[in-house]
Amino acid sequence: MRIGELARATGATARALRHYEQAGLICSERASNGYRVYDDLTVTRVRNIRYLLSAGLVLDDVRVFLPCLDGDMAAAPPSDKGLQVALERLAVLNERIAAQTETRDRLSAALREKTGARPGHPSSPDVT
């Protein structure tokens, strides 16, 4: 199937599919006209990549799952390495959330100090 067909079958954009290919997660053949042609099994692989990305992983994390991308990832028991990658990604996300929360709290405090705003007050900016 061509890239547009694969995109429609998986909900991915053609740009994302080219990115997955560049990252070595999927591969294609080239037709005589130069178009990319994908195997039908690539649909499952792309759906699994999107499943992992939607769970919060990044493409570098997805590489760990290469041996299982052609199966039913949602139903398969997680591997020890897969769990480790997910736990590491969760720690990174938690650190980012904590940093953003701290930044929001500092900004909120500065706004309260400068404007006397109270959170939720109708005449004040929404300051939490």
Side-chain angles (χ1 to χ4, degrees):
M1 75 181 65
R2 293 197 343 213
I3 196 166
E5 296 168 305
L6 181 59
R8 282 187 294 281
T10 61
T13 64
R15 182 173 183 231
L17 294 171
R18 287 188 292 273
H19 187 66
Y20 300 163
E21 189 169 350
Q22 185 179 17
L25 298 173
I26 62 174
C27 58
S28 67
E29 304 276 326
R30 289 289 183 160
S32 59
N33 59 7
Y35 291 164
R36 288 177 168 90
V37 179
Y38 297 91
D39 186 288
D40 289 341
L41 298 175
T42 308
V43 170
T44 299
R45 182 171 276 237
V46 170
R47 285 181 179 157
N48 283 329
I49 292 168
R50 291 175 52 81
Y51 169 77
L52 292 169
L53 294 174
S54 72
L57 301 181
V58 297
L59 281 184
D60 283 340
D61 299 333
V62 172
R63 282 192 185 86
V64 170
F65 297 89
L66 274 172
C68 2
L69 287 177
D70 297 326
D72 186 356
M73 297 253 344
S79 68
D80 289 341
K81 182 62 176 168
L83 285 173
Q84 185 62 36
V85 166
L87 288 169
E88 289 168 4
R89 181 59 46 205
L90 182 59
V92 168
L93 290 171
N94 283 334
E95 287 173 14
R96 288 181 184 165
I97 290 168
Q100 290 294 308
T101 300
E102 185 178 314
T103 301
R104 181 203 60 206
D105 292 348
R106 281 194 312 270
L107 179 57
S108 179
L111 284 169
R112 278 193 306 273
E113 179 182 313
K114 296 296 182 186
T115 66
R118 293 186 315 274
H121 190 271
S123 64
S124 303
D126 186 16
V127 181
T128 47

